[in-house]
Amino acid sequence: NAGVTQTPKFRVLKTGQSMTLLCAQDMNHEYMYWYRQDPGMGLRLIHYSVGEGTTAKGEVPDGYNVSRLKKQNFLLGLESAAPSQTSVYFCASRTTRNPASTDTQYFGPGTRLTVL
Amino acid sequence: AQSVTQLDSQVPVFEEAPVELRCNYSSSVSVYLFWYVQYPNQGLQLLLKYLSGSTLVKGINGFEAEFNKSQTSFHLRKPSVHISDTAEYFCAVSSLGGFQKLVFGTGTRLLVSP
């Protein structure tokens, strides 16, 4: 049981390039989330998904797109990267079916992205 | 809307000393409260959570937190810290139900020295 995994771990992009971050979870969780972590600002929600085929905007969605074609995967895309998107990106997932843990989000190890 | 304030950005402490990391929150509705820990170059791990019931919550690694509704606080404490407790600690709140948007504080870096 790997939990929540993220690919890649590190990436350097040039301004204007595109890329996709992959989040995968093997816990059959319904909810998945993408956050970004910036120094002195804590974590902020970018997008989230309440189930396969559904996505919704979070607190800071501009410049990002997401897709959830399969229940276990949640993709975060940057179509035209900007230096302001330099950050550490975390994915999380949550179940709604286990009463003992419906309130807990499980986080992946993060992807460190630098945009030059 | 909810907000979380962690007043201390960094807390230096000697090994085996007690520590308290402060967290205050603001919300117009009932909330769940969480403490997460982030070790260097790792993701976030749940330390403990308060949902309801006893206001004193015990978590992993000897940490505990007390929910104080009148002071809207959820301070984290440990009676004796270890070097391995060096990490960043995040307080977070979420409203009950819904998709559970977690609102995080800005984090407190705990630095434990020998």
Side-chain angles (χ1 to χ4, degrees):
Chain A
N1 203 344
V4 180
T5 57
Q6 292 183 233
T7 309
K9 289 185 171 52
F10 305 94
R11 186 72 184 268
V12 179
L13 290 178
K14 295 181 179 178
T15 297
Q17 288 184 319
S18 64
M19 78 161 295
T20 300
L21 282 67
L22 170 64
C23 175
Q25 52 94 5
D26 61 2
M27 299 175 283
N28 202 31
H29 285 178
E30 293 75 29
Y31 283 56
M32 296 187 74
Y33 308 79
W34 274 108
Y35 294 88
R36 60 177 289 173
Q37 182 184 30
D38 301 296
M41 300 188 74
L43 278 76
R44 292 180 292 168
L45 182 65
I46 305 172
H47 286 281
Y48 66 97
S49 167
V50 301
E52 182 178 325
T54 72
T55 63
K57 294 181 180 180
E59 185 183 357
V60 288
D62 294 342
Y64 304 96
N65 56 75
V66 287
S67 64
R68 183 122 181 249
L69 299 179
K70 294 182 179 181
K71 186 177 184 180
Q72 63 268 33
N73 296 337
F74 195 28
L75 279 65
L76 178 71
L78 287 73
E79 288 188 349
S80 179
S84 61
Q85 294 177 303
T86 293
S87 187
V88 181
Y89 292 85
F90 287 101
C91 177
S93 70
R94 178 172 76 96
T95 184
T96 58
R97 292 177 290 109
N98 182 351
S101 61
T102 55
D103 46 81
T104 301
Q105 292 185 25
Y106 295 85
F107 284 81
T111 294
R112 188 174 295 274
L113 175 66
T114 301
V115 183
L116 302 176
Chain B
Q2 292 93 36
S3 66
V4 177
T5 302
Q6 292 182 248
L7 289 171
D8 305 306
S9 59
Q10 190 166 292
V11 173
V13 65
F14 289 109
E15 195 174 18
E16 298 183 5
V19 70
E20 178 179 81
L21 305 184
R22 296 180 294 169
C23 172
N24 288 89
Y25 70 94
S26 173
S27 177
S28 57
V29 298
S30 296
V31 295
Y32 292 150
L33 293 154
F34 305 82
W35 275 100
Y36 281 86
V37 59
Q38 184 180 28
Y39 297 105
N41 300 314
Q42 294 187 27
L44 277 72
Q45 179 182 359
L46 182 69
L47 263 183
L48 48 79
K49 59 188 176 186
Y50 172 79
L51 307 179
S52 64
S54 173
T55 57
L56 183 62
V57 180
K58 294 190 183 299
I60 61 172
N61 300 338
F63 284 93
E64 64 180 30
E66 186 157 19
F67 169 58
N68 187 319
K69 188 173 183 179
S70 63
Q71 297 188 3
T72 60
S73 67
F74 191 54
H75 301 332
L76 181 70
R77 295 191 291 259
K78 186 170 183 178
S80 175
V81 295
H82 302 290
I83 297 285
S84 58
D85 291 324
T86 294
E88 186 126 22
Y89 292 80
F90 291 95
C91 182
V93 301
S94 75
S95 55
L96 279 62
F99 73 94
Q100 197 208 40
K101 175 186 174 182
L102 273 176
V103 175
F104 286 87
T106 52
T108 297
R109 185 171 298 276
L110 178 63
L111 295 171
V112 183
S113 54

